[in-house]
Structure formats: C-alpha cells, structure tokens
Amino acid sequence: MAEVTASLSIGQVAERTGLSVHTLRFYEQEGLFISPVRRGPAGRRSYTQDDVDWLTVCIILRASDMPLPALRRYTDLVREGAGNEEERLALLREHHGRVTTQIGRLTQSLDLITFKVGVYEDLLDQDRPAATPGYRPPRSPR
C-alpha cells in the first residue's frame, strides 16, 4: 500500500523550523529545496516532512556560517543523487575547516573573557568586607 505523505502549509513549516515565511520563500527562490515545492489546487505551497528534514540540515549549515553559494552547491549535489559524493565530501571538508577555525577563535575569545571576569570578580571581592560572624550587610531598597 502506498504511504500517504502529509501536506504542510508554509505557516506550519515556518512554525516547525523557526524560519520565517519570507525565508522559506527565499530558500525556494534560491533553489535550496531538494525537490520543487509543490502547490495545492489553489496555488498554495505544500510541503512534506522530507522538506522539513532538509530544511533542518540547511538551518544547521547556515547557523555554522556556511555561505549561501556553498549551501546552494551542496543542495544541487544532493539533488543530483549518487555519483558526486567526492564533491560533497570536499565541500563539507572545506566548511569543516572554516568551522574549526571559527571555534578556535571563539575559544580564544572565551578564554580572554573568562580571565577578565575573574579579574573583576577578584577586584570587587577585595572591596567587600570580609564575612564575619554576626555581620549583616545593609539592606538595599526593593
């Protein structure tokens, strides 16, 4: 028996993915769907769970700063099917290198920020009276 694929509206897909309706239309215009977006009898866009799953991949790649042309190329390669895995791998390895570099820069930034937080916490702790038995700091107004 043939499997029935549920049809999702653009609003439902926006809600499930967190993308705006405008972004979904933009992704369609940019050719970032594996299959053409179907239209219902009234001309309204109709999506499947496969579309949502693919959009999830796109969202993660974009969140990692994959450039739109690279995402478009990756989509084209996936759409073409088997036989271009080496090119897909090369594209993803290149992006992996960019993300690894980005993580290194972010780690360096986080290390500096953590150090500075510690400096300021130590500085402020020096200005506070030492905890002594029975000491109660003044109440601050609410």
Side-chain angles (χ1 to χ4, degrees), residues 27-28 31-39 45-48 51 75 79:
Y27 275 24
E28 180 183 0
L32 296 179
F33 283 89
I34 299 299
S35 311
V37 175
R38 288 149 303 288
R39 302 280 179 150
R45 289 170 176 84
S46 175
Y47 300 89
T48 65
D51 293 325
T75 302
R79 189 181 302 121

Side-chain angles (χ1 to χ4, degrees), residues 22-98:
H22 174 78
T23 300
L24 290 169
R25 289 183 185 127
F26 174 77
Y27 275 24
E28 180 183 0
Q29 180 183 14
E30 291 296 313
L32 296 179
F33 283 89
I34 299 299
S35 311
V37 175
R38 288 149 303 288
R39 302 280 179 150
R44 294 180 185 257
R45 289 170 176 84
S46 175
Y47 300 89
T48 65
Q49 185 58 47
D50 287 343
D51 293 325
V52 173
D53 294 344
W54 177 251
L55 285 168
T56 302
V57 171
C58 292
I59 290 165
I60 292 168
L61 292 174
R62 288 294 292 152
S64 68
D65 286 338
M66 178 178 267
L68 199 53
L71 182 55
R72 189 178 307 115
R73 180 65 189 138
Y74 183 66
T75 302
D76 290 344
L77 291 168
V78 171
R79 189 181 302 121
E80 289 172 13
N84 58 26
E85 290 80 6
E86 284 186 36
E87 193 173 349
R88 290 186 215 183
L89 177 60
L91 191 148
L92 290 174
R93 279 187 174 153
E94 182 180 333
H95 185 60
H96 183 275
R98 284 192 302 270

Side-chain angles (χ1 to χ4, degrees), residues 110-126 128:
L110 182 59
D111 289 346
L112 174 71
I113 293 165
T114 301
F115 171 76
K116 289 295 199 179
V117 165
V119 167
Y120 288 111
E121 286 175 342
D122 290 347
L123 183 66
L124 292 172
D125 283 345
Q126 290 173 8
R128 293 189 181 116

Side-chain angles (χ1 to χ4, degrees), residues 102-112:
Q102 180 182 18
I103 289 171
R105 285 191 301 253
L106 287 171
T107 299
Q108 185 179 22
S109 298
L110 182 59
D111 289 346
L112 174 71

